[in-house]
């Protein structure tokens, strides 16, 4: 699998040009950078753009980045299991806080390690995933935080439930509520270095809501999944995933293929066995139920899979040879397969389909 860093650089520059020079960009690299390689991309964004902060979902993702030498600020966006608190403090990782019990434990651990733990407050403006409820709850949470000597509040943020949707009224409503709550926090005398609401989709269409920073994930990595507006920044796909033909054979009518004789030929059928299976993190139903890959510029249908090897029908595909390249994602001739095609074929989220790719698929970074 190849990740074209020149394209990622251009995507970052497109986002930078769109939002202007004064807003921080916090690349969200959770889930191994949505499958593209978290540590490599963290190094890329720090070296190339000197980003101040990177976002992850879990403490261990940030610990891995610290151990790999990433020195910028790291923010964990999700809730933290209590047994991860010592590592968050030790590695100076900012975490997201929205419960007093968590704040108590974090404060105690920071005192034990002789450190100050940094947090950002998550405000639940309507998604109802994590966050403090606006109003009374937020006010008493802020007052409570002020009593904690070993905790420093660095920022506050919220997340939109449907920023990618055609219709923006719920996100706009969420932002109005967020603005009020930020004023309440400031009225308590709390200073916030980071105030942010926009994921990648909202970064494209919601400049009023940039505050001090934006948090794009997929957008930087090549996927603008806004329905409104469509592709307005010209973001490009950066990933090509290929494997190889390992054997070519002719099946005769009645011959079967694979485990449990999954496929039975009803006519002479030319088949290529290829070096990728569901164990590589390719969504199995696409391999079993007629998804496609590209060989020599032609679309070929999957006839089944096993953990490490799959089968493609190659009738009518010219000049297929042993070790022929097979394109699973990316361009070959007139065709391109994208995660959005996978989404449309399966009805699954493209983020899910992208993120399940196994680490054994070697990532190669084109500079
Ligand atoms: C809190 C938060 N911020 C930002 C992002 C980045 O989202 P996207 O990839 O849609 O830009 C996510 C991802 O789900 C998130 O959970």
């Amino acid at each position: 699998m190849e990740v074209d860093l020149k394209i990622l650089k251009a995507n970052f520059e497109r986002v930078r040009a769109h939002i202007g020079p004064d807003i921080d960009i916090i690349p969200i690299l959770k889930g191994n950078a949505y499958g593209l390689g978290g540590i490599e991309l963290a190094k890329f964004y720090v070296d190339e753009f000197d980003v101040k902060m990177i976002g992850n979902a879990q403490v261990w993702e940030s610990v891995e980045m610290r151990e790999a030498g990433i020195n910028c600020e790291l923010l964990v966006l999700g809730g933290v299991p209590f047994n991860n608190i010592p590592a968050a403090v030790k590695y100076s990782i900012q975490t997201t806080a929205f419960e007093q019990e968590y704040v108590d434990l974090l404060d105690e651990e920071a005192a034990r390690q002789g450190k100050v733990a940094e947090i950002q407050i998550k405000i639940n403006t309507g998604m109802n995933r994590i966050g403090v409820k606006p109003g009374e709850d937020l006010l008493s949470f802020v007052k409570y935080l002020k009593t904690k000597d070993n905790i420093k509040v660095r920022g506050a943020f919220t997340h939109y439930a449907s920023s990618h949707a055609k219709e923006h009224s719920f996100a706009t409503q969420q932002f109005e509520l967020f603005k009020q709550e930020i004023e309440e926090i400031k009225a308590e005398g709390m200073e916030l270095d980071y105030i942010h609401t926009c994921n990648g989709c909202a970064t494209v269409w919601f400049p009023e809501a940039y505050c001090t920073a934006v948090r794009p994930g997929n957008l930087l990595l090549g996927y603008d999944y806004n329905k409104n507006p469509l592709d307005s920044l010209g973001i490009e796909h950066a990933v090509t995933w290929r494997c190889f033909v390992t054997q070519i054979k002719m099946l005769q009518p009645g011959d079967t293929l694979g485990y449990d004789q999954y496929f039975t030929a009803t006519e002479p059928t030319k088949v290529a066995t290829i070096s990728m299976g569901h164990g590589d993190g390719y969504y199995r139903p696409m391999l079993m139920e007629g998804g496609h890959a590209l060989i020599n510029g032609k679309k070929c249908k999957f006839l089944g899979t096993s953990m490490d090897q799959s089968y493609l029908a190659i009738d009518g595909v010219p000049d297929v040879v042993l070790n022929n390249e097979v394109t699973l994602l990316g361009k070959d001739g007139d065709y391109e397969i994208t995660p959005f095609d996978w989404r449309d074929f399966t009805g699954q989220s493209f983020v899910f389909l992208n993120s399940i790719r196994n680490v054994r698929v070697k990532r190669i970074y084109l500079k």
Side-chain angles (χ1 to χ4, degrees):
M1 170 182 150
E2 290 172 350
V3 181
D4 192 330
L5 297 179
K6 290 187 292 307
I7 293 181
L8 293 191
K9 186 163 182 267
N11 285 343
F12 190 98
E13 283 162 354
R14 286 179 182 112
V15 174
R16 168 56 72 215
H18 180 66
I19 67 172
D22 300 329
I23 309 291
D24 287 321
I25 299 177
I26 305 173
I28 303 303
L29 300 181
K30 61 184 184 161
N32 199 24
Y34 299 84
L36 271 60
I39 289 171
E40 289 78 2
L41 292 200
K43 285 185 178 155
F44 167 74
Y45 286 113
V46 170
D47 292 349
E48 197 70 48
F49 298 106
D50 200 17
V51 294
K52 278 161 68 180
M53 177 179 284
I54 285 171
N56 278 318
Q58 297 182 353
V59 169
W60 73 262
E61 295 175 316
S62 294
V63 168
E64 278 189 353
M65 286 186 185
R66 276 277 180 268
E67 289 190 332
I70 302 298
N71 286 326
C72 69
E73 294 180 64
L74 295 173
L75 171 65
V76 171
L77 301 166
V80 174
F82 293 165
N83 65 359
N84 287 191
I85 290 175
V89 175
K90 177 175 169 203
Y91 287 90
S92 302
I93 293 163
Q94 281 177 46
T95 58
T96 294
F98 43 90
E99 291 286 347
Q100 288 192 3
E101 190 180 355
Y102 175 72
V103 167
D104 289 341
L105 294 171
L106 188 68
D107 185 59
E108 281 166 25
E109 181 61 32
R112 200 166 15 249
Q113 293 192 30
K115 295 184 74 167
V116 171
E118 297 190 332
I119 59 139
Q120 298 207 20
I121 304 171
K122 181 76 183 273
I123 305 175
N124 173 16
T125 54
M127 181 156 169
N128 287 319
R129 183 167 63 177
I130 51 172
V132 192
K133 199 168 160 202
E136 288 286 295
D137 285 9
L138 181 65
L139 206 56
S140 64
F141 190 63
V142 168
K143 287 183 195 295
Y144 194 68
L145 282 168
K146 283 170 34 183
T147 68
K148 298 293 175 184
D149 293 337
N150 305 293
I151 288 190
K152 180 169 171 50
V153 179
R154 295 294 311 285
F157 68 106
T158 195
H159 192 55
Y160 297 117
S162 50
S163 62
H164 56 285
K166 245 195 176 119
E167 223 275 307
H168 296 151
S169 62
F170 193 62
T172 308
Q173 192 182 311
Q174 284 187 262
F175 180 56
E176 288 307 314
L177 185 53
F178 181 74
K179 271 196 299 191
Q180 282 172 29
E181 299 307 304
I182 292 297
E183 290 314 312
E184 297 283 338
I185 296 175
K186 286 184 175 167
E188 279 299 308
M190 195 173 260
E191 282 179 21
L192 301 170
D193 299 331
Y194 290 98
I195 304 172
H196 43 111
T197 75
C198 292
N199 71 332
C201 287
T203 300
V204 172
W205 62 264
F206 206 0
E208 303 84 345
Y210 290 164
C211 308
T212 75
V214 294
R215 300 188 311 267
N218 285 286
L219 186 71
L220 292 178
L221 305 183
Y223 308 111
D224 181 351
Y225 58 110
N226 270 299
K227 297 203 178 59
N228 171 22
L230 284 173
D231 299 330
S232 59
L233 302 192
I235 293 295
E236 286 179 85
H237 299 153
V239 173
T240 306
W241 183 12
R242 294 203 174 92
C243 66
F244 297 92
V245 171
T246 54
Q247 196 170 31
I248 299 165
K249 57 180 71 68
M250 273 310 290
L251 299 185
Q252 297 305 327
D255 285 348
T256 62
L257 186 64
Y259 284 125
D260 300 320
Q261 301 176 288
Y262 180 71
F263 171 80
T264 305
T266 53
E267 55 188 348
T269 306
K270 199 170 182 187
V271 174
T273 302
I274 65 169
S275 59
M276 180 280 300
H278 61 80
D280 291 292
Y282 193 109
Y283 187 57
R284 191 168 178 272
M286 290 196 282
L287 302 170
M288 299 296 271
E289 292 158 23
H292 289 89
L294 305 174
I295 299 185
N296 296 351
K298 299 271 183 213
K299 268 174 103 173
C300 307
K301 189 173 162 183
F302 283 108
L303 298 176
T305 189
S306 54
M307 186 169 165
D308 317 303
Q309 310 181 59
S310 305
Y311 315 104
L312 283 169
I314 56 168
D315 292 292
V317 184
D319 307 325
V320 184
V321 292
L322 268 194
N323 212 44
N324 212 118
E325 269 186 355
V326 180
T327 302
L328 305 166
L329 265 186
K331 289 185 188 150
D332 182 1
D334 293 338
Y335 287 111
E336 178 177 13
I337 297 179
T338 75
F340 296 136
D341 297 319
W342 288 354
R343 173 194 65 190
D344 296 344
F345 182 78
T346 61
Q348 301 288 330
S349 132
F350 82 91
V351 177
F352 160 69
L353 297 168
N354 246 350
S355 303
I356 59 175
R357 199 169 307 123
N358 201 317
V359 285
R360 84 171 176 191
V361 178
K362 187 157 175 50
R363 275 76 171 159
I364 295 162
Y365 299 91
L366 304 181
K367 295 197 171 141

